[in-house]
């Protein structure tokens, strides 16, 4: 008797259930997969079949040409995150999944925002972009396009500020993320 | 050598002694290699028959079942067996031909994206893109199919690649970094589980098909009898614990015994082993086992806390974990008398609600009696392969399975048409055993073409047809829950089963008199080849007891 952490007098009533709890926040999953045809289809198919919603999805190469990284965000209030990750792990091409802790993570997204701007308003848009650390990447007679990187919240704040000028369209990459510090994500 | 010869060499290296399949254009090269490969091949009459035969073979022998089909419709005919194998975790490898690589994606003749179509229903699939990958793909397929939680693996081979010349070296181990099933179970969790069991006053072992798949019925029996733990099994778990037995409560779930379902309802500790809390087990989830804590032992971590939150999860192979759990449990020297009240309660249920039916007083054959007659005629020693419906539930209830791999059915998917080809596969895998197919007049029609395979290959399956002229289970639900509006459940009077058996070149018999049933079954069993016995049973008999769908165990009816 007497494992560390186990009471000497054992009571069934004291046992706590594990898993299935919905953690009501946004989760950023960083997934390493083998760079094989159809991997993304397997993952998106799994999500569709089990009724999980993907909020954002970004896929790209890693420093190893055989391995790709998928970064996805999903809503933990809607889906039991441990069940999502366990189902993903069953896919044989999935090598590693990291549910990144927000406070230990640097997450960035790239957005391109095309906004109505003529000679009168161009300067104002440009100033706003500068404040947010964005760059004007295209200027036309009646529009400008701003490139902005940052957190989801920052991009959304910038979007709100541009709306009064007339936001023509916005394209976002979805977040990519890396763990803070020396250790690998 | 030719890639298809390497394919055969790889299959042999994996210990394949029989395959079930059907040739066509895209797998002509494969069939050319089969011609003198020295591996037995059974030509089925429909690819679905081949797929289910591979499942039956796998379930009866514990080895990986193999089925082959050509591209397009040949491959899509395997979809149902693949889905079935996924639901019941059956180790199977399906090898399909595919159109030439230059035709891929062009809607070529007999092209179907079988890899894409089957993606949600395979454990894994491999589309060959380089002929040199074929042997490795086969070894990986077998490794994935048989380890961890077993399941179906598809290998799709384009026709031109199967004609290529490649080098072949046998491979003894595969490297799959993304596939590392946990086997051993966490020692601390096992100790905790033993403690919980020693402290439970109303425990029950809830045993599923994982114990059969994991060859863990012996350590399960030791665990149950290391104290006096009551045991119940799911439909797929039947045989994992020997029936009858003092500690055996019968099957649980929708058509389980009251003793088993009530014990689950009142238990303080449920030890789930290789079981997945399917809706046919839990009924209304929010009212399932309201007083219980759960130990959940399963090789698939995704099953743990999927439907019911586990208090003590243990991930690993049951035959690794259970012996350790037995050791830990015995060392606690628990007092069996703590369960006295519990066993009194169980005895009360057993006495008050035995599994029973009102037998006929004349010569009418009640379906439940038919199963009892089958048990008597086979002396309980048959491998029983079932189709899907009322006959399946009655057999699960009334046929006692003394050991695992003697009850073969489509549990999770509920595939009508499974029984006959599965029995064929089981018989091919176990040539010295008595293999019985219990079917219904609905199910048997769904893969009836395999009678030709039985006859031509002299595979001596005994088919006992429970013929009530209805799609009985659907009729029962229409009677109970749809105001008796019998919508399209009357199967009419055709075919003439005895003539049909005769036409297929096998013995056909018909029995309508209860007093002749056991004798007729014995006659069928003694006959050397395959036999079909058309047994005319009561037309409108219901399968009871029953938990109506979506209700709780304590709401059982009948």
């Amino acid at each position: 008797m007497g494992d560390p952490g186990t009471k000497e007098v054992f009571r069934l009533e004291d046992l706590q259930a594990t898993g299935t709890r919905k953690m009501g926040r946004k989760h950023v999953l960083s997934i390493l997969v083998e760079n094989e045809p159809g991997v993304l289809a397997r993952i998106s198919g799994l999500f569709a079949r089990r009724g999980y919603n993907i909020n954002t999805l970004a896929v790209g190469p890693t420093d190893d040409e055989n391995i790709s990284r998928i970064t996805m965000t999903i809503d933990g209030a809607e889906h039991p995150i441990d069940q999502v990750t366990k189902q993903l792990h069953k896919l044989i091409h999935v090598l590693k999944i990291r549910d990144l802790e927000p406070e230990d993570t640097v997450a960035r997204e790239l957005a391109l925002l095309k906004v109505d701007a003529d000679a009168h308003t161009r300067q104002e848009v440009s100033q706003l972009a500068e404040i947010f650390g964005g760059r004007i990447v295209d200027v036309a007679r009646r529009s400008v396009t701003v490139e902005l990187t940052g957190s989801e919240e920052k991009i959304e704040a910038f979007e709100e500020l541009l709306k009064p000028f007339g936001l023509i369209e916005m394209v976002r990459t979805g977040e990519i993320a890396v763990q803070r510090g020396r250790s690998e994500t | 050598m030719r890639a298809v010869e390497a394919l055969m060499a790889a299959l042999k290296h994996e210990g394949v002694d029989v395959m079930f399949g059907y040739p066509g254009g895209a797998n002509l090269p494969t069939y050319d290699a089969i011609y003198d490969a020295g591996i037995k091949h059974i030509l089925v009459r429909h690819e679905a028959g081949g797929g289910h035969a591979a499942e039956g073979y796998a379930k009866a022998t514990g080895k990986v079942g193999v089925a082959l089909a050509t591209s397009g419709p040949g491959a899509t005919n395997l979809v149902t067996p693949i889905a079935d194998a996924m639901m019941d975790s059956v180790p199977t490898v399906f090898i399909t031909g595919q159109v030439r690589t230059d035709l891929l994606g062009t809607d070529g003749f007999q092209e179907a994206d079988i890899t894409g179509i089957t993606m949600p229903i395979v454990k894994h699939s491999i589309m060959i893109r380089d002929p040199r990958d074929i042997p490795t793909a086969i070894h990986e397929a077998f490794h994935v199919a048989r380890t961890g939680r077993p399941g179906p693996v598809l290998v799709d081979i384009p026709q031109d690649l199967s004609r290529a010349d490649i080098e072949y070296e046998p491979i003894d181990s595969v490297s799959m970094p993304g596939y590392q099933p946990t086997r051993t179970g966490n020692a601390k969790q096992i100790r905790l589980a033993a403690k919980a069991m020693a402290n439970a006053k109303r425990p029950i072992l809830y045993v599923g098909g994982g114990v059969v798949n994991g060859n863990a019925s012996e350590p399960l029996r030791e665990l149950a009898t290391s104290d006096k733990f009551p045991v119940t099994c799911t439909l797929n778990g039947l045989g994992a614990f020997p029936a009858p037995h003092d500690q055996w409560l019968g099957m649980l779930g929708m058509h389980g015994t009251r003793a088993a379902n009530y014990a689950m309802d009142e238990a303080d500790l449920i030890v789930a082993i290789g079981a997945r809390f399917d809706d046919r087990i839990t009924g209304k989830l929010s009212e399932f086992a309201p007083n219980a804590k759960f130990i959940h032992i399963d090789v698939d971590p995704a099953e743990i806390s999927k439907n019911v939150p586990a208090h003590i999860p243990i991930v690993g192979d049951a035959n690794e974990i259970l012996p350790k759990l037995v050791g830990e449990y015995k060392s606690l020297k628990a007092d069996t008398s703590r369960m006295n009240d519990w066993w009194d309660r169980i005895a009360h249920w057993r006495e008050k609600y035995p599994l029973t039916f009102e037998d006929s007083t004349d010569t009418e054959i009640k379906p439940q009696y038919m199963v009892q007659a089958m048990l008597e005629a086979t002396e309980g020693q048959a491998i029983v392969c079932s189709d899907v419906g009322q006959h399946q539930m009655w057999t699960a209830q009334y046929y006692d399975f003394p050991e695992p791999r003697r009850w073969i059915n489509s549990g999770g998917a509920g595939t009508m048409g499974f029984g006959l080809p599965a029995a064929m596969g089981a018989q091919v895998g176990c040539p010295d055993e008595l293999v019985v197919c219990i079917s219904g007049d609905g199910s048997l029609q769904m893969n009836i073409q395999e009678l030709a395979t039985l006859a031509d290959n002299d595979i001596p399956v005994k088919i006992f047809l429970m013929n009530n002229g209805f799609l009985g289970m659907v009729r029962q639900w229409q009677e109970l829950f749809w105001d008796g509006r019998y919508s399209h459940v009357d199967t009419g009077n055709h075919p003439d089963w005895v003539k049909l058996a005769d036409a297929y070149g096998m013995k056909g018999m018909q029995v309508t008199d209860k007093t002749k049933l056991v004798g007729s079954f014995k006659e069928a069993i003694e006959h050397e080849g395959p036999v079909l016995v058309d047994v005319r049973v009561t037309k409108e008999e219901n399968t009871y007891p029953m938990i109506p769908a979506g209700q709780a165990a304590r709401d059982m009816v009948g």
Side-chain angles (χ1 to χ4, degrees), chain A residues 15 21 29 44 56 85 115 144 161:
Chain A
L15 289 172
R21 279 188 303 270
L29 298 184
S44 57
T56 71
T85 56
V115 63
V144 297
L161 284 172

Side-chain angles (χ1 to χ4, degrees), chain A residues 110-115 125-126 128-130 132-138 144-149 158 162 169-171:
Chain A
L110 168 66
L112 295 171
L113 302 102
K114 188 183 292 181
V115 63
V125 171
S126 175
L128 280 173
E130 200 173 319
F132 273 76
R135 288 196 314 136
I136 308 281
V137 290
D138 182 63
V144 297
T145 301
V146 182
E147 171 200 306
L148 179 69
T149 34
F158 187 59
L162 288 193
E169 64 182 342
M170 175 173 72
V171 183

Side-chain angles (χ1 to χ4, degrees), chain A residues 3 12 18 20 42 83 86 90, chain B residues 125 293 300-301 304-305 310:
Chain A
D3 293 326
L12 272 187
T18 60
T20 70
R42 283 178 208 267
Q83 185 56 217
K86 285 195 284 192
K90 287 172 70 165
Chain B
S125 51
K293 304 288 182 183
D300 180 359
I304 300 210
S305 299

Side-chain angles (χ1 to χ4, degrees), chain B residues 84-105:
Chain B
D84 193 277
M86 187 67 170
M87 288 292 263
D88 283 355
S89 311
V90 190
T92 35
V93 170
F94 297 90
I95 303 170
T96 48
Q98 181 53 276
V99 299
R100 297 193 314 264
T101 46
D102 60 314
L103 289 173
L104 272 176

Side-chain angles (χ1 to χ4, degrees), chain A residues 1-4 6 10 12-13 15-20 37-38 41-42 49 83 86-87 90-95, chain B residues 119-120 124-125 129 144 176 178-179 188 191-192 195-196 199-200 268 293 300-302 304-306 309-311 313:
Chain A
M1 305 291 274
D3 293 326
T6 307
F10 188 96
L12 272 187
E13 305 89 84
L15 289 172
Q16 294 294 317
T18 60
T20 70
R42 283 178 208 267
R49 181 165 80 89
Q83 185 56 217
K86 285 195 284 192
Q87 292 294 347
K90 287 172 70 165
L91 298 175
I92 281 151
H93 294 313
V94 170
L95 300 173
Chain B
M119 221 169 247
H124 190 44
S125 51
R129 283 158 209 281
V144 171
M176 304 182 78
Y179 179 68
K188 195 176 155 198
R191 273 201 298 281
L192 188 61
K195 254 180 226 176
N199 281 276
D268 64 354
K293 304 288 182 183
D300 180 359
I304 300 210
S305 299
K306 183 181 81 176
H311 298 80

Side-chain angles (χ1 to χ4, degrees), chain B residues 340-351:
Chain B
N340 285 353
D341 289 349
W342 184 225
W343 275 106
D344 287 347
R345 189 98 176 110
I346 290 167
H348 162 74
W349 290 323
R350 278 172 156 170
E351 193 184 318

Side-chain angles (χ1 to χ4, degrees), chain B residues 312-344:
Chain B
I312 307 178
I314 309 176
V315 177
D317 275 359
N319 65 3
E320 293 264 349
I321 293 166
L322 294 183
K324 293 179 197 160
L325 184 54
V326 171
E328 292 289 345
Y329 185 78
K330 282 183 174 166
S331 73
L332 296 176
K333 302 195 180 358
D335 178 7
T336 303
S337 69
R338 74 187 188 285
M339 287 191 241
N340 285 353
D341 289 349
W342 184 225
W343 275 106
D344 287 347

